[in-house]
Every structure is written in structure tokens, then in C-alpha cells.
Amino acid sequence: MQNPLPSLMLIGCGKMGGALFSRWVENALPPSAVVDHHKEELTQKFSSTQHIFSASVKEIPDHFTPQMIILAVKPAKAMEALTSLPNRFKNSPVISILAGKTVAYLRAGLTPTTPIIRVMPNTPSLIGAGMSVAYAEANISDPIKAACAALFECAGEFAWVEHEDLMHAVTALSGSGPAYIFYLAELLLTIAKNYKLPQPLANRLVTQTLYGSSLLLKTSALTPEELRQQVTSPQGTTAAALSVLMQPSAWPETLERALQAACERSRELNQ
Ligand SMILES: NC(=O)C1=CN([C@@H]2O[C@H](COP(=O)(O)OP(=O)(O)OC[C@H]3O[C@@H](n4cnc5c(N)ncnc54)[C@H](OP(=O)(O)O)[C@@H]3O)[C@@H](O)[C@H]2O)C=CC1
Ligand SMILES: O=C(O)[C@@H]1CCC=N1
């Protein structure tokens, strides 16, 4: 049986924090607090009497102490959010989903002993199909790590990395990754217009092809290369298309540069 979820204080309930919070609510989150400037909208959206919705940490009632704090504001707002935490919260373990911000950076806004875990989730978490990857320093206790894993397993798949530096590549691949797929869908739909396909049909072709290919990739014992070869008849249509996409300057170099740019930006975000 899965571990029960810890009670939380979620700071920042926007696109990513909100997607995760929906999953946690669906998975029997104990009474928790959500701190977000958009308190009114969130109170309406989640229409829950069990959780506290607040525009500021200072409004959280004194009797409430979360088992964990989830930090989900934009990286530039991290220090402001952490330094505004009243002292009574500063011993709760903190899970940060922020891109780029290292444990050392976050610690400067907390105490020397606050347990800190970094997690990089992605937006398919909203439908339980997310990929979350976590890094914890060696001194973080097993129960805290287990509680973190239980939270993010509600949102899809979960993995640990041993070295914090790998979080840059994780962010570039799976954190930002959904945007690359959505952009591919956008491009295919735009190009489909040239072929006079009815738009609703084009939408179905693109969506179902991305969905079916992802599911096949996830469930098949074959490698991506083998699956690609199964589609590619000699001298056929796929071979014609791939002869364009597989040019070094086409997808291989473009994707390499894109991931490199994401990694570089992740490093810059720690400043
Ligand atoms: N979006 C994604 O796909 C992913 C994002 N992340 C990380 O998640 C974090 C959040 O990103 P995202 O959800 O896209 O951002 P959003 O801007 O959608 O959400 C952040 C929310 O926090 C609120 N907020 C900011 N500071 C405070 C504060 N001090 N007190 C209360 N509320 C506050 C913001 O309000 P306001 O609008 O008024 O600023 C906003 O509602 C980022 O650090 C990002 O790196 C990680 C993985 C994927
Ligand atoms: O674009 C960003 O910086 C965040 C981190 C990963 C996805 N969105």
C-alpha cells in the first residue's frame, strides 16, 4: 500500500503547483494550506473546506504546522518567499520544484538544518502522467524521502538522481520536455493547413499519433530506433521524410542546441 501523504503548505499554486495540488487532493491529501496571491480563484477552483487557502504565509493560523512545505513559485521569487516564512515553519522539510535554484541557494533563506529536497516535475502531472525527478542531500532521512516519493508518485512516475548537477539535464529533458512536444503538435497542425485537411481531422491525426506513439514507446520492448524502423519502408514515404529530418543540421543538431540552451538557462537561474 502507498504511504499516506503528508500535510503540506504549498507556496505558489500556479500552473505547476496547481497541477500537483489537484493530484494530491485526489489522493487524500490531509488538511493542508495553499499560499498564493490568487487565493480567491483557488478557493473557488478547489472548493474545499478541508484546506486553508491564503494570500500570504502570515495569514496561516497558528495551530497549523505542515509536515512538509512545497515551494512552487517562480525562481526569481524564491528568496522572498523563503525569507518571509515565520520561524515556526523553518524546521519543516522543504521540497522545491524550482528550476535552477540549488539546495545551497535555498538554504540561505532557511536554517542550516532544514531538510531540503529538489524535485523537477512536469505538467502531464495534471493527469497523473507526469515525470518527476528528485535530488536529496545524503543526510536527508528515509521517512522524509519516502513522503516526497509518495507525493510525486501521485502525479506519475518518480525517480531519484544522486548528483544535484544532473537536475539541469532533467529540467531540459523532462521538465521543459512537454513544451517541445506541444510545439511539434503546433507545427504539424500549421503545416496540415497547406494540405486542406479539415482542422478537426488534422487535430485528431496529430493528437492520436503523438499519443499512440508515446504509448507504444512506453509499453513496447523495442527501442525507439527499432520502432522507427518498423514504420520506415525501404524507399517509402517515411524514409523520404526522415532523409530531411535526420540531416545533421535538422533535428539532431537543433535538438542538441535546444537542450544545451535549456541547461545553460537552468544554470543561470541559480544566480
Ligand atoms: N510550468 C512548468 O511546466 C514547470 C514549472 N516548474 C517550476 O515551478 C515553479 C512555478 O512555475 P509555474 O507554476 O509555471 O509558475 P506560475 O507563475 O504559474 O505559479 C506561481 C504562483 O505563485 C504565486 N506566488 C509567487 N510568489 C508568491 C508568494 N510569495 N506568495 C504567494 N504566492 C506567490 C504566483 O502569483 P503571481 O502570479 O501573483 O506572481 C503564481 O500564482 C517555477 O519555479 C518553475 O521553475 C517546474 C517544472 C515544470
Ligand atoms: O520553463 C521553465 O523554466 C520551467 C522549468 C521546467 C518547465 N518550466
Side-chain angles (χ1 to χ4, degrees), residues 11-17 35-38 55 72-75 77 80-81 97-99 120-123 175:
I11 307 176
C13 190
K15 293 177 282 295
M16 196 61 247
V35 180
D36 192 286
H37 295 148
H38 307 273
V73 299
K74 292 284 190 208
K77 303 268 183 82
E80 181 193 328
I97 67 160
L98 278 54
M120 179 48 54
N122 65 14
T123 55

Side-chain angles (χ1 to χ4, degrees), residues 8-269:
L8 301 176
M9 179 161 74
L10 170 64
I11 307 176
C13 190
K15 293 177 282 295
M16 196 61 247
L20 292 167
F21 186 67
S22 312
R23 295 305 299 171
W24 296 330
V25 168
E26 274 186 38
N27 285 271
L29 181 69
S32 290
V34 173
V35 180
D36 192 286
H37 295 148
H38 307 273
K39 166 193 163 176
E40 308 300 337
E41 289 158 43
L42 292 166
T43 309
Q44 279 196 347
K45 180 176 168 189
F46 290 103
S47 64
S48 161
T49 49
Q50 150 142 277
H51 306 295
I52 302 163
F53 291 89
S54 163
S56 133
V57 179
K58 295 193 174 60
E59 290 171 19
I60 302 288
D62 287 346
H63 63 78
F64 178 77
T65 305
Q67 287 171 293
M68 284 194 152
I69 294 174
I70 310 285
L71 185 64
V73 299
K74 292 284 190 208
K77 303 268 183 82
M79 203 39 79
E80 181 193 328
L82 291 177
T83 50
S84 72
L85 276 178
N87 282 341
R88 70 191 175 89
F89 291 124
K90 290 209 174 178
N91 290 321
S92 301
V94 172
I95 296 179
S96 163
I97 67 160
L98 278 54
K101 296 295 188 197
T102 58
V103 169
Y105 178 96
L106 299 165
R107 178 159 312 290
L110 293 161
T111 74
T113 53
T114 311
I116 302 171
I117 298 181
R118 285 182 62 191
V119 181
M120 179 48 54
N122 65 14
T123 55
S125 296
L126 183 64
I127 54 163
M131 181 71 233
S132 300
V133 179
Y135 166 76
E137 285 180 322
N139 60 350
I140 304 292
S141 72
D142 286 344
I144 292 176
K145 287 171 76 173
C148 173
L151 282 168
F152 287 87
E153 280 164 0
C154 291
E157 294 206 9
F158 177 79
W160 291 100
V161 288
E162 297 270 326
H163 303 287
E164 185 167 19
D165 206 49
L166 292 177
M167 293 300 277
H168 298 299
V170 165
T171 304
L173 263 176
S174 58
S176 300
Y180 316 154
I181 305 299
F182 300 136
Y183 185 49
L184 176 62
E186 280 178 67
L187 288 175
L188 290 171
L189 284 171
T190 304
I191 296 162
K193 287 186 185 146
N194 300 338
Y195 297 95
K196 313 261 184 293
L197 281 170
Q199 198 67 23
L201 178 61
N203 269 322
R204 283 177 67 198
L205 300 190
V206 169
T207 305
Q208 185 64 8
T209 301
L210 290 179
Y211 174 74
S213 308
S214 300
L215 203 58
L216 187 58
L217 190 60
K218 190 172 162 75
T219 54
S220 169
L222 300 181
T223 64
E225 186 181 359
E226 287 164 336
L227 290 169
R228 167 171 60 75
Q229 282 163 352
Q230 288 196 341
V231 189
T232 314
S233 312
Q235 282 100 48
T237 59
T238 315
L242 289 176
S243 72
V244 177
L245 298 177
M246 292 172 89
Q247 292 282 328
S249 63
W251 280 17
E253 282 172 21
T254 304
L255 284 176
E256 188 166 349
R257 278 193 287 122
L259 263 72
Q260 206 176 349
C263 281
E264 274 167 27
R265 184 64 192 137
S266 174
R267 288 180 202 283
E268 285 167 10
L269 285 173

